[in-house]
């Protein structure tokens, strides 16, 4: 297994100001080199559905584990939530721009968010995820996560689950897994992200002409 389930189960869940847990190095370090090699080149900002990308076998294996029953069961146990018949949605990010990272909460159609940071190293002081007490400022944070080495953040999507990241421009690889309300959410989000991905590819191609 690529996911370190022992590490996941040993991580503490915190309930204030919203339910969340931080899991350092969720993925076996021995697998990181292959996953990094197989991570698609994403040279545009934004989220891309996995279906719109070409992922190598090591990354595909990890993505399968993320959507498998073992992780679902572990999340259910930690968050006291029944995810039976709740579909999953997987998107990848590869780059951040200066306007990314603004304070937000995830949509009400999402139940659980898992963020896994897949840069191998992170020498830059910017780009760190912050979990926030309010929507006022990134300085009002109670936890900060370096976006590298498969550090993971898992939280229940609540109205007060504020988060954002400090300014950074460059490669910032993120896997985002969500359990959502129903398949209609998945279809809608895939259409939205898929259209955005096609538009970005067209814009990039047009600029090269």
């Amino acid at each position: 297994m690529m996911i370190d389930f022992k590490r996941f189960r040993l991580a503490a869940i915190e309930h204030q100001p919203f339910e969340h847990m931080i899991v350092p190095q969720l993925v076996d370090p021995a697998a990181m080199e292959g996953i990094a090699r197989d991570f698609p080149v994403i040279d545009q900002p934004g989220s891309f559905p996995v279906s719109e990308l070409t992922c190598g076998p090591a990354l595909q294996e990890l993505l399968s584990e993320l959507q498998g029953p073992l992780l679902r069961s572990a999340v259910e146990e930690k968050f006291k939530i029944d995810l039976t018949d709740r579909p999953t949605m997987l998107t990848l990010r590869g780059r951040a721009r200066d306007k990314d990272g603004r304070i937000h909460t995830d949509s009400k159609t999402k139940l659980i968010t898992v963020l896994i940071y897949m840069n191998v190293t992170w020498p830059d002081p910017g780009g760190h995820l912050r979990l926030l007490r309010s929507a006022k400022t990134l300085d009002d944070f109670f936890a900060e996560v370096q976006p590298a080495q498969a550090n993971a953040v898992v939280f229940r999507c609540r109205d007060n689950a504020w988060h954002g990241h400090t300014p950074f421009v460059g490669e910032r690889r993120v896997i985002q897994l969500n359990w959502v309300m129903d398949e209609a959410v998945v279809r809608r989000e895939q259409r939205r992200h898929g259209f955005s991905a096609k538009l970005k590819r067209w814009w990039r191609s047009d600029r090269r002409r």
Side-chain angles (χ1 to χ4, degrees):
M1 302 294 289
M2 290 184 168
I3 297 174
D4 188 335
F5 285 100
K6 181 179 179 180
R7 187 180 290 267
F8 185 95
R9 290 192 167 91
L10 288 174
I13 182 169
E14 304 291 341
H15 296 274
Q16 297 297 331
F18 56 87
E19 294 164 282
H20 70 279
M21 57 187 295
I22 296 171
V23 190
Q25 293 187 326
L26 177 62
V27 177
D28 183 350
M32 283 295 292
E33 182 179 349
I35 295 169
R37 180 189 62 238
D38 289 348
F39 203 95
V41 175
I42 303 174
D43 57 6
Q44 294 293 316
S47 297
F48 292 80
V50 170
S51 59
E52 296 288 331
L53 300 167
T54 301
C55 303
L59 179 58
Q60 288 282 13
E61 183 178 345
L62 174 60
L63 298 178
S64 294
E65 286 187 18
L66 289 172
Q67 296 181 97
L70 291 180
L71 183 61
R72 186 192 71 195
S73 176
V75 170
E76 287 177 326
E77 181 182 343
K78 287 285 188 179
F79 287 84
K80 309 303 180 190
I81 185 173
D82 183 3
L83 296 173
T84 305
D85 298 327
R86 299 295 192 181
T88 56
M89 187 168 60
L90 268 173
T91 56
L92 303 183
R93 282 178 172 262
R95 294 197 68 80
R97 52 192 168 178
D98 53 4
K99 69 177 184 178
D100 288 338
R102 293 173 179 172
I103 298 170
H104 68 285
T105 59
D106 287 359
S107 69
K108 294 181 179 180
T109 57
K110 296 176 181 177
L111 302 171
I112 297 285
T113 291
V114 182
L115 300 172
I116 310 170
Y117 295 96
M118 300 307 295
N119 282 64
V120 176
T121 60
W122 195 264
D124 197 283
H128 289 223
L129 178 74
R130 289 181 175 178
L131 304 182
L132 307 169
R133 297 182 183 89
S134 71
K136 295 178 181 179
T137 172
L138 281 170
D139 293 330
D140 189 20
F141 67 98
F142 60 87
E144 186 175 58
V145 179
Q146 185 187 65
Q149 298 179 336
N151 292 333
V153 178
V154 188
F155 60 86
R156 192 188 284 256
C157 301
R158 301 289 200 190
D159 289 343
N160 67 331
W162 301 104
H163 57 286
H165 67 75
T166 53
F168 175 76
V169 176
E171 186 177 63
R172 188 175 183 273
R173 293 178 166 186
V174 190
I175 299 172
Q176 178 167 320
L177 167 67
N178 292 102
W179 278 271
V180 299
M181 293 293 292
D182 52 44
E183 289 290 347
V185 177
V186 177
R187 291 193 296 270
R188 183 173 66 250
E189 290 297 310
Q190 285 182 336
R191 284 197 301 270
R192 181 172 70 87
H193 287 304
F195 174 77
S196 177
K198 288 181 175 65
L199 186 63
K200 289 167 185 171
R201 284 197 294 268
W202 171 83
W203 179 81
R204 182 179 59 196
S205 175
D206 188 64
R207 288 194 66 185
R208 289 174 178 172
R209 291 175 186 169

